[in-house]
């Protein structure tokens, strides 16, 4: 069994996630999206838009300023010369995945045939024909939101006054059919899913592919191992939200076939595995802001083990109890997580607002400030915001605010 240092494991993980690659020197293209997708295999989707929707950020973190319309086109349009590249499904959570990976989740679609949550089947007990009615409407009128379907079914639903999760029966059934694979997401409009029949969204060659659950899990574990670089079983399991019973035989098979190599990482108290295609660079240089749902950090136990960086999402924590802020971006610098900033896009003022800024223990603030500010200005440019402002909260904030007030070189 190979032994490696924690630093080597970290550099391998960063290489696998694309952070050892140079950013494009020209304007990023669809080819760059494909290159990042081939490495990380998914873009997690989340509803929070305080800065920018989460699925756009991993590309920005790896390739810099790019046209978000490229990702929209990859997800929502299909042409002969530019076929649909992404499909939406429940991978890590809701996520964009490569179209070719969609068949690997048929086993999950079967498990979700009555919905993802216990009790959803009761909707069809109350409305036995509703699923067929929803499919008939969408078959007839094309891509539709749940509200569109309700209008065609002439369902009288008053304006919703309850919480966001108070979903109508029609919405529940649309989600059941999506989870079961009968419907796919043709597009999102103002973040609302518009469903269509799956065979009108995905290519016939993709729909024709069939894999057993065992083979699907094996392939998914191989993909997660390649994306993570060096990973424990729990890391591999979390990437696609698999179960221990599923992952153990897949790991054993991949080790036996030489796809994974068992490794011991100094300082880790559990065994790990390294994909045969992963490299360990001598150094990883550069800076990047990471959103909370970036694959490099979305599994918090791994983030702490890999980077000694305790990271918690505080969106649902009362404001007065938050330690670092509402929507906090870790800051990666030369292979280490050295700071974190709570960021908001204030479009009314045309400013990227840093509401708090903290430096990590052991990192020198004066080393962190300028590269962090450069990435913040890069993000402001990407989001078409004219300035960066820094509030007073956090031990890094005074230095960052002072640097932000100095004239910038054009």
């Amino acid at each position: 069994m190979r032994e490696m240092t924690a630093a080597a494991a970290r550099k391998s993980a960063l290489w696998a996630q694309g952070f050892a690659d140079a950013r494009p020197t020209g304007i990023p293209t669809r080819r760059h999206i494909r290159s990042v997708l081939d490495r990380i295999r998914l873009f997690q989707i989340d509803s929070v838009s305080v800065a920018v929707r989460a699925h756009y950020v991993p590309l920005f973190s790896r390739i810099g300023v790019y046209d978000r319309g490229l990702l929209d086109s990859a997800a929502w349009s299909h042409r002969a010369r530019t076929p649909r590249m992404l499909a939406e499904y429940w991978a890590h959570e809701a996520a964009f995945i490569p179209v070719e990976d969609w068949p690997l989740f048929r086993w999950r679609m079967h498990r979700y045939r009555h919905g993802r949550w216990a009790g959803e089947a009761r909707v069809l007990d109350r409305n036995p024909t509703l699923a067929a009615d929803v499919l008939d409407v969408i078959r007839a009128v094309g891509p539709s939101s749940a509200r569109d379907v309700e209008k065609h079914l002439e369902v009288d639903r008053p304006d919703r006054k309850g919480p966001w999760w108070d979903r109508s029966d029609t919405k529940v059934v649309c989600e059941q059919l999506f989870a079961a694979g009968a419907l796919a997401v043709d597009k999102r409009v103002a973040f609302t899913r518009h469903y269509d029949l799956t065979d009108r969204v995905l290519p016939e060659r993709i729909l024709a592919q069939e894999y057993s659950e065992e083979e699907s899990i094996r392939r998914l574990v191989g993909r997660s191992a390649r994306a993570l670089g060096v990973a424990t079983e729990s890391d591999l399991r979390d990437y696609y939200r698999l179960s221990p019973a599923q992952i153990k035989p897949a790991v054993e098979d991949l080790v036996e076939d030489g796809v994974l190599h068992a490794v011991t990482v100094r300082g880790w108290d559990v065994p790990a595995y390294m994909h045969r295609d992963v490299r360990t660079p001598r150094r990883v240089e550069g800076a990047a802001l990471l959103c909370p749902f970036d694959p490099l950090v979305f599994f918090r136990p791994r983030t702490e083990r890999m980077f000694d960086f305790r990271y918690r999402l505080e969106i649902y924590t009362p404001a007065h109890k938050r330690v670092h802020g509402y929507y906090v971006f870790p800051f990666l610098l030369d292979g280490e997580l050295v700071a974190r900033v709570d960021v908001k896009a204030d479009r009314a003022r045309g400013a990227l607002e840093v509401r708090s800024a903290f430096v990590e223990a052991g990192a020198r603030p004066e080393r962190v400030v300028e590269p962090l500010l450069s990435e913040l200005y890069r993000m402001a440019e990407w989001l078409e915001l004219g300035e960066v402002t820094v509030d007073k909260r956090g031990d890094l904030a005074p230095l960052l605010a002072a640097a932000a007030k100095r004239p910038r070189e054009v």
Side-chain angles (χ1 to χ4, degrees), residues 25-44:
T25 55
I27 298 173
T29 65
R30 181 181 172 95
R31 178 175 59 83
H32 294 100
I33 294 179
R34 182 74 242 188
S35 178
V36 173
L37 185 63
D38 285 344
R39 283 186 175 273
I40 67 177
R41 306 307 296 186
L42 57 83
F43 301 125
Q44 187 174 339

Side-chain angles (χ1 to χ4, degrees), residues 5 27 92 102 122 128 201 206 235 306 308 358 362-363 370 375:
T5 65
I27 298 173
H92 179 75
W102 186 89
R122 288 197 293 270
V201 174
I206 296 297
D235 298 338
M306 183 74 70
D308 193 23
F358 295 85
E370 283 301 328
E375 284 305 300

